[in-house]
Amino acid sequence: EKIAAAWSSRSSYATGKLVQVTNGAETLQGQTRGIENDGALRLETAQGIQLIRAGDVTSVRPATMNV
């Protein structure tokens, strides 16, 4: 718990970051919601909270409209 709390307090990815996670052929997109005590990333997707234990995490920039 101490390690998860320390990581969360220092990481810009800990909570509220829009990300895409790719693991093999699977790709998920959602907002980060912290980490579990085992280090799994909590990702809120349209299907609910997913626990991510492996994958490439990249930041996603929200789309902007050019007017």
Side-chain angles (χ1 to χ4, degrees):
E1 290 180 30
K2 289 182 182 181
I3 292 172
W7 182 86
S8 293
S9 71
R10 292 177 176 89
S11 175
S12 64
Y13 278 85
T15 213
K17 186 85 159 189
L18 184 60
V19 298
Q20 179 173 295
V21 180
T22 304
N23 187 3
E26 183 179 25
T27 299
L28 298 171
Q29 187 169 315
Q31 284 200 337
T32 58
R33 296 293 182 224
I35 62 169
E36 296 287 302
N37 288 332
D38 68 357
L41 176 68
R42 288 192 297 259
L43 184 69
E44 183 176 1
T45 69
Q47 291 75 37
I49 298 291
Q50 308 289 319
L51 298 180
I52 309 299
R53 290 190 169 80
D56 294 319
V57 179
T58 55
S59 179
V60 175
R61 293 184 183 174
T64 58
M65 295 182 67
N66 293 328
V67 180

